[in-house]
Structures are given as structure tokens and as C-alpha cells.
Amino acid sequence: MRLVALAGGVGAARFLRGLVRVVDPADLTVIVNTGDDREFYGVHVSPDLDIVIYTLAGRVDPEKGYGLEGDQFSVVDALADLGHETWFRLGDRDLATALHRSLRLREGAGLAEITDEIRCAYGVDVCILPMTEDPVPTFVELSDGSRAHFEEYLARDGAPDDVSGVDLAAAAAAQPAPGVLEAIDAAELILVCPSNPVVSIGPILATAGMRSAVIECQAPVIGISPIIGGAPVKGPADRLLRGIGVEVSARGVAGHYKGLLDGIVIDDRDAAQRADVEALGMACVVTETLMRTPEIAASLAQTSLDLGAMVRSSR
Ligand code: GDP
Ligand code: CA
């Protein structure tokens, strides 16, 4: 069965590590957010693409959920000694990934082709596509009228709470990368990973034609809530959801995805919200969604596949 997953970084990668245990990796295409991409130290960093590749390769730093396990930080430390701002802590080998990407871009290669080179070099057998090859920075707007690139908001400023909006205009003006719309058209099931709905899934759906492609394709669309017990597992999804006026809950996420999802998997801790979710017109399954181990992630992935099959058979 041909599968497409829409993915951000850490939450998505944990889920995908489980998914590849229960499906044939050759059937899976992952479409990854590039709204967080930014140049650091003269190289093109694609945080979410690299998190997904490193995690599927079994090479990610398990504590942080991003970067490479055992990486050194000689280059950023040396840059700091030379007076550079180094709030974006990029490991040496991680920097090599970004340097490769930059060198290949300079040679005229596209981001999709380069991403494929990197995932092959890391021995990942899943097709991984950037959502677009165009530069599509996401900006977070704060109540004092200032705005910051998402990585500046997160890593430099520590994700302050007074978010007033998120600017996805660059994504909205961008074309999907080669292969993206074809993968959605061919999909028999689309999974929306447990990623940040605002700044990870938001930019993917904002990319020109993407939301309508997902809604109009024949495949059931199944999401997994990244919010458990009224809070994100990690990261600023609570501040960003509040900032765009969405309740920080599984029910809030379901409402945000109304019209897109045919079904959603929510956590046991949120079982009481099931009726509210179903009232939005989507199927709902309640299970353990905190992916403490790859086994739990695999079980969550299987539950998501089963919900997709149930939606399909009820049509
Ligand atoms: P980022 O780009 O690295 O921030 O990664 P994502 O957008 O893919 O993931 C961030 C989201 O993943 C956060 O909102 C977390 O709540 C969610 N997340 C992380 N780990 C888990 C987990 O084990 N279970 C669930 N349900 N969500 C998770
Ligand atoms: Ca990200």
C-alpha cells in the first residue's frame, strides 16, 4: 500500500521510526517541512529533513532528538572564539551535511535531489522529499509587533509565550518539490505525523496547492495528536497554537485539522475528548501515543494504519 506521511522534525521522526517497523519502507514517501530552513555559518541547514534522516538511520542523538549521536562541536566552538554568535549549536558532522547541501545547491542541484543523496548516504531506504525547493522561511510574530525567523524564535529567543501569529506567506507562494504532488496523488493512505500543527504541518499544507491536493485525493487522511493531556511532549506547540487561537488540547488539534483529516489518534489521557472530536466529523481512536520506545511508536503506527483501513471500508 502506497503511503505518504507529512512530517516535521522530532515528533514526526519518532513516529516514522515506528512506522517503518510495520510497513514496507519502499511503500513510504515522507514529505518534510522546510519552513525552518535557514543559513547558519554560511551553510544551508534543513533541520527537519536532517532530523528525519538521522532518526531513520538510527544515528540521531537520542537525548536531544536532533543532531548526530556522539557529534563534536569543534567548529561552532572555534567560531565562538572568533566572535561569532553561536546560539544555533550545529555539530561538526551535522555541519558537513549542511555544507554538502550548500555545495550541491551551488552546483545547481535541487533540494529534492540533494536530500535523496543524503538519505542514501545514511542508508535510509524511505523516500524523503522536501515539501518545496523554494526558500520558505516561517516567521513568528509577537504581540510587541516584532517578528523572528522560526529558528530565531525557538533557539535564540527561547520560544517566548506572547505569540500573536505565524507568517507562512513564503510557503504559500512556493511550488511543491518535484515528486510531492505525484506522491499524494498515488497515495492510498496519508498520515499527518504527531508534529507541530502550526510550524511543521502548517507550512506543508500552506505550500501552493498542497491542502487541496491532500483533501481531494482518494486516500483517507489520518492524523496523530502531538498534544497529550493539554500539553506538547516537547517544544513550543502550546505557545504557537494559543498564538493562532487554537485550544491546546487533542480536541483543539482535531478542530484545527477539521476538513483535512478523516480520522485522528489521540492519547489515553485525552479519552474524555473523544466525543467532542467525533462531533467534528472525524473518526477517533484512543491509545498510548507517548512514544517512549520504538515498540510503542510501532504500535501507534499500526493503530493509525488500522484507523485508515476502517475509514476506507466505511466509505
Ligand atoms: P520539531 O520540528 O523538531 O519541533 O518536530 P515536530 O514538529 O515533528 O514535532 C514536535 C511535536 O512533536 C511537539 O508538538 C510534540 O508534542 C510532539 N511529540 C514529540 N514526541 C511525541 C510523542 O512521543 N507522542 C506524541 N503524540 N507527540 C510527540
Ligand atoms: Ca522543525
Short mmCIF file of all heavy atoms in Angstrom, two decimals, residues 223-260:
data_model
loop_
_atom_site.label_atom_id
_atom_site.label_comp_id
_atom_site.label_asym_id
_atom_site.label_seq_id
_atom_site.Cartn_x
_atom_site.Cartn_y
_atom_site.Cartn_z
N GLY A 223 -4.50 11.60 11.20
CA GLY A 223 -3.53 12.35 11.99
C GLY A 223 -3.30 11.71 13.35
O GLY A 223 -4.08 10.87 13.80
N ILE A 224 -2.21 12.12 13.98
CA ILE A 224 -1.90 11.69 15.35
C ILE A 224 -1.67 12.97 16.15
O ILE A 224 -0.86 13.82 15.75
CB ILE A 224 -0.64 10.79 15.41
CG1 ILE A 224 -0.84 9.53 14.55
CG2 ILE A 224 -0.33 10.39 16.86
CD1 ILE A 224 -0.34 9.64 13.14
N SER A 225 -2.35 13.10 17.28
CA SER A 225 -2.23 14.35 18.04
C SER A 225 -0.86 14.48 18.69
O SER A 225 -0.41 13.57 19.38
CB SER A 225 -3.31 14.41 19.14
OG SER A 225 -3.08 15.56 19.94
N PRO A 226 -0.19 15.63 18.50
CA PRO A 226 1.06 15.88 19.20
C PRO A 226 0.83 16.44 20.61
O PRO A 226 1.79 16.66 21.35
CB PRO A 226 1.75 16.94 18.33
CG PRO A 226 0.61 17.72 17.75
CD PRO A 226 -0.54 16.75 17.59
N ILE A 227 -0.42 16.69 20.92
CA ILE A 227 -0.77 17.24 22.25
C ILE A 227 -1.32 16.10 23.10
O ILE A 227 -2.24 15.38 22.69
CB ILE A 227 -1.81 18.37 22.12
CG1 ILE A 227 -1.28 19.51 21.24
CG2 ILE A 227 -2.24 18.88 23.50
CD1 ILE A 227 -0.07 20.25 21.80
N ILE A 228 -0.73 15.93 24.28
CA ILE A 228 -1.14 14.88 25.21
C ILE A 228 -1.46 15.54 26.55
O ILE A 228 -0.62 16.26 27.10
CB ILE A 228 -0.02 13.84 25.41
CG1 ILE A 228 0.37 13.19 24.07
CG2 ILE A 228 -0.43 12.79 26.45
CD1 ILE A 228 1.48 12.13 24.18
N GLY A 229 -2.67 15.31 27.05
CA GLY A 229 -3.03 15.87 28.35
C GLY A 229 -2.90 17.39 28.40
O GLY A 229 -2.47 17.95 29.41
N GLY A 230 -3.22 18.05 27.30
CA GLY A 230 -3.23 19.52 27.29
C GLY A 230 -1.87 20.17 27.14
O GLY A 230 -1.73 21.38 27.35
N ALA A 231 -0.84 19.39 26.75
CA ALA A 231 0.50 19.97 26.58
C ALA A 231 1.25 19.23 25.49
O ALA A 231 1.02 18.04 25.27
CB ALA A 231 1.28 19.89 27.90
N PRO A 232 2.18 19.93 24.82
CA PRO A 232 3.05 19.22 23.88
C PRO A 232 4.01 18.33 24.68
O PRO A 232 4.29 18.61 25.85
CB PRO A 232 3.82 20.32 23.17
CG PRO A 232 3.58 21.58 23.92
CD PRO A 232 2.48 21.36 24.91
N VAL A 233 4.51 17.29 24.04
CA VAL A 233 5.51 16.44 24.69
C VAL A 233 6.81 17.24 24.85
O VAL A 233 7.52 17.11 25.84
CB VAL A 233 5.74 15.17 23.85
CG1 VAL A 233 6.82 14.29 24.48
CG2 VAL A 233 4.43 14.39 23.71
N LYS A 234 7.09 18.08 23.88
CA LYS A 234 8.33 18.85 23.84
C LYS A 234 8.10 19.99 22.85
O LYS A 234 7.35 19.82 21.90
CB LYS A 234 9.45 17.94 23.34
CG LYS A 234 10.85 18.44 23.55
CD LYS A 234 11.87 17.34 23.21
CE LYS A 234 13.28 17.88 23.20
NZ LYS A 234 13.75 18.21 21.85
N GLY A 235 8.75 21.12 23.06
CA GLY A 235 8.69 22.18 22.05
C GLY A 235 7.57 23.18 22.32
O GLY A 235 6.83 23.07 23.30
N PRO A 236 7.47 24.18 21.42
CA PRO A 236 6.60 25.33 21.66
C PRO A 236 5.20 25.23 21.05
O PRO A 236 4.57 26.25 20.83
CB PRO A 236 7.39 26.46 21.00
CG PRO A 236 8.00 25.79 19.80
CD PRO A 236 8.29 24.37 20.21
N ALA A 237 4.71 24.01 20.77
CA ALA A 237 3.40 23.91 20.10
C ALA A 237 2.30 24.58 20.91
O ALA A 237 1.36 25.15 20.34
CB ALA A 237 3.05 22.44 19.83
N ASP A 238 2.41 24.55 22.25
CA ASP A 238 1.38 25.20 23.08
C ASP A 238 1.33 26.70 22.81
O ASP A 238 0.28 27.29 22.58
CB ASP A 238 1.60 24.90 24.57
CG ASP A 238 3.03 25.17 25.04
OD1 ASP A 238 3.92 25.39 24.19
OD2 ASP A 238 3.26 25.15 26.27
N ARG A 239 2.51 27.34 22.79
CA ARG A 239 2.57 28.79 22.58
C ARG A 239 2.09 29.17 21.17
O ARG A 239 1.40 30.17 20.99
CB ARG A 239 4.00 29.29 22.80
CG ARG A 239 4.34 29.38 24.29
CD ARG A 239 5.77 29.06 24.60
NE ARG A 239 5.94 27.64 24.87
CZ ARG A 239 7.10 27.05 25.10
NH1 ARG A 239 8.20 27.75 25.10
NH2 ARG A 239 7.16 25.75 25.34
N LEU A 240 2.44 28.34 20.20
CA LEU A 240 2.06 28.65 18.81
C LEU A 240 0.57 28.40 18.58
O LEU A 240 -0.09 29.18 17.90
CB LEU A 240 2.93 27.86 17.84
CG LEU A 240 4.40 28.33 17.89
CD1 LEU A 240 5.34 27.27 17.39
CD2 LEU A 240 4.58 29.61 17.09
N LEU A 241 0.05 27.31 19.15
CA LEU A 241 -1.40 27.05 19.00
C LEU A 241 -2.19 28.19 19.64
O LEU A 241 -3.10 28.75 19.03
CB LEU A 241 -1.78 25.70 19.63
CG LEU A 241 -1.39 24.45 18.83
CD1 LEU A 241 -1.53 23.19 19.68
CD2 LEU A 241 -2.24 24.32 17.55
N ARG A 242 -1.83 28.54 20.88
CA ARG A 242 -2.51 29.67 21.55
C ARG A 242 -2.40 30.93 20.72
O ARG A 242 -3.38 31.68 20.59
CB ARG A 242 -1.89 29.91 22.93
CG ARG A 242 -2.58 29.18 24.07
CD ARG A 242 -2.22 29.79 25.43
NE ARG A 242 -0.79 29.72 25.72
CZ ARG A 242 -0.19 28.65 26.26
NH1 ARG A 242 -0.89 27.57 26.57
NH2 ARG A 242 1.10 28.65 26.48
N GLY A 243 -1.22 31.14 20.14
CA GLY A 243 -0.97 32.35 19.35
C GLY A 243 -1.87 32.48 18.13
O GLY A 243 -2.14 33.59 17.66
N ILE A 244 -2.32 31.33 17.60
CA ILE A 244 -3.24 31.41 16.46
C ILE A 244 -4.68 31.11 16.90
O ILE A 244 -5.56 30.85 16.06
CB ILE A 244 -2.81 30.50 15.28
CG1 ILE A 244 -2.81 29.02 15.69
CG2 ILE A 244 -1.42 30.90 14.76
CD1 ILE A 244 -2.84 28.08 14.47
N GLY A 245 -4.91 31.10 18.22
CA GLY A 245 -6.27 30.98 18.73
C GLY A 245 -6.83 29.57 18.77
O GLY A 245 -8.05 29.38 18.71
N VAL A 246 -5.95 28.57 18.88
CA VAL A 246 -6.41 27.17 18.95
C VAL A 246 -6.19 26.64 20.37
O VAL A 246 -5.11 26.84 20.94
CB VAL A 246 -5.65 26.29 17.93
CG1 VAL A 246 -6.04 24.82 18.07
CG2 VAL A 246 -5.91 26.77 16.50
N GLU A 247 -7.21 25.98 20.92
CA GLU A 247 -7.08 25.38 22.26
C GLU A 247 -5.95 24.35 22.27
O GLU A 247 -5.84 23.55 21.34
CB GLU A 247 -8.41 24.70 22.62
CG GLU A 247 -8.43 24.06 24.00
CD GLU A 247 -9.75 23.32 24.26
OE1 GLU A 247 -10.70 23.96 24.74
OE2 GLU A 247 -9.82 22.10 23.98
N VAL A 248 -5.13 24.37 23.32
CA VAL A 248 -4.01 23.43 23.42
C VAL A 248 -4.54 22.12 23.99
O VAL A 248 -4.50 21.86 25.19
CB VAL A 248 -2.87 24.00 24.29
CG1 VAL A 248 -1.69 23.03 24.30
CG2 VAL A 248 -2.44 25.36 23.78
N SER A 249 -5.08 21.29 23.12
CA SER A 249 -5.66 20.01 23.53
C SER A 249 -5.77 19.14 22.27
O SER A 249 -5.66 19.64 21.14
CB SER A 249 -7.07 20.23 24.11
OG SER A 249 -7.94 20.72 23.10
N ALA A 250 -6.02 17.86 22.49
CA ALA A 250 -6.24 16.95 21.34
C ALA A 250 -7.46 17.44 20.55
O ALA A 250 -7.44 17.46 19.31
CB ALA A 250 -6.45 15.53 21.85
N ARG A 251 -8.49 17.86 21.29
CA ARG A 251 -9.71 18.38 20.64
C ARG A 251 -9.39 19.63 19.82
O ARG A 251 -9.90 19.82 18.71
CB ARG A 251 -10.72 18.71 21.76
CG ARG A 251 -11.99 19.38 21.36
CD ARG A 251 -12.88 19.54 22.59
NE ARG A 251 -12.18 20.24 23.67
CZ ARG A 251 -12.45 20.08 24.97
NH1 ARG A 251 -13.37 19.24 25.36
NH2 ARG A 251 -11.77 20.76 25.87
N GLY A 252 -8.54 20.50 20.37
CA GLY A 252 -8.14 21.71 19.65
C GLY A 252 -7.40 21.38 18.36
O GLY A 252 -7.65 21.99 17.32
N VAL A 253 -6.50 20.41 18.44
CA VAL A 253 -5.75 19.99 17.24
C VAL A 253 -6.71 19.42 16.20
O VAL A 253 -6.64 19.75 15.00
CB VAL A 253 -4.66 18.95 17.61
CG1 VAL A 253 -4.05 18.33 16.36
CG2 VAL A 253 -3.58 19.60 18.48
N ALA A 254 -7.65 18.58 16.66
CA ALA A 254 -8.63 17.99 15.74
C ALA A 254 -9.44 19.10 15.06
O ALA A 254 -9.67 19.05 13.84
CB ALA A 254 -9.54 17.02 16.49
N GLY A 255 -9.84 20.10 15.82
CA GLY A 255 -10.60 21.22 15.25
C GLY A 255 -9.78 21.99 14.23
O GLY A 255 -10.29 22.39 13.18
N HIS A 256 -8.50 22.16 14.54
CA HIS A 256 -7.58 22.86 13.62
C HIS A 256 -7.47 22.09 12.29
O HIS A 256 -7.32 22.70 11.23
CB HIS A 256 -6.22 22.97 14.30
CG HIS A 256 -5.15 23.59 13.47
ND1 HIS A 256 -5.17 24.91 13.10
CD2 HIS A 256 -4.03 23.05 12.92
CE1 HIS A 256 -4.09 25.16 12.36
NE2 HIS A 256 -3.39 24.06 12.24
N TYR A 257 -7.56 20.75 12.36
CA TYR A 257 -7.44 19.90 11.16
C TYR A 257 -8.79 19.51 10.57
O TYR A 257 -8.87 18.64 9.69
CB TYR A 257 -6.67 18.63 11.50
CG TYR A 257 -5.17 18.78 11.69
CD1 TYR A 257 -4.51 18.09 12.70
CD2 TYR A 257 -4.41 19.58 10.84
CE1 TYR A 257 -3.13 18.18 12.87
CE2 TYR A 257 -3.03 19.68 11.00
CZ TYR A 257 -2.40 18.98 12.02
OH TYR A 257 -1.03 19.07 12.17
N LYS A 258 -9.86 20.15 11.04
CA LYS A 258 -11.20 19.83 10.53
C LYS A 258 -11.25 20.09 9.02
O LYS A 258 -10.74 21.09 8.53
CB LYS A 258 -12.24 20.71 11.24
CG LYS A 258 -13.69 20.44 10.86
CD LYS A 258 -14.60 21.25 11.80
CE LYS A 258 -15.95 21.55 11.20
NZ LYS A 258 -16.78 20.39 10.92
N GLY A 259 -11.86 19.17 8.28
CA GLY A 259 -11.93 19.30 6.83
C GLY A 259 -10.75 18.65 6.12
O GLY A 259 -10.80 18.43 4.91
N LEU A 260 -9.69 18.39 6.86
CA LEU A 260 -8.50 17.77 6.29
C LEU A 260 -8.43 16.29 6.68
O LEU A 260 -8.22 15.41 5.85
CB LEU A 260 -7.25 18.49 6.78
CG LEU A 260 -5.94 17.93 6.26
CD1 LEU A 260 -5.60 18.57 4.91
CD2 LEU A 260 -4.78 18.19 7.23
#
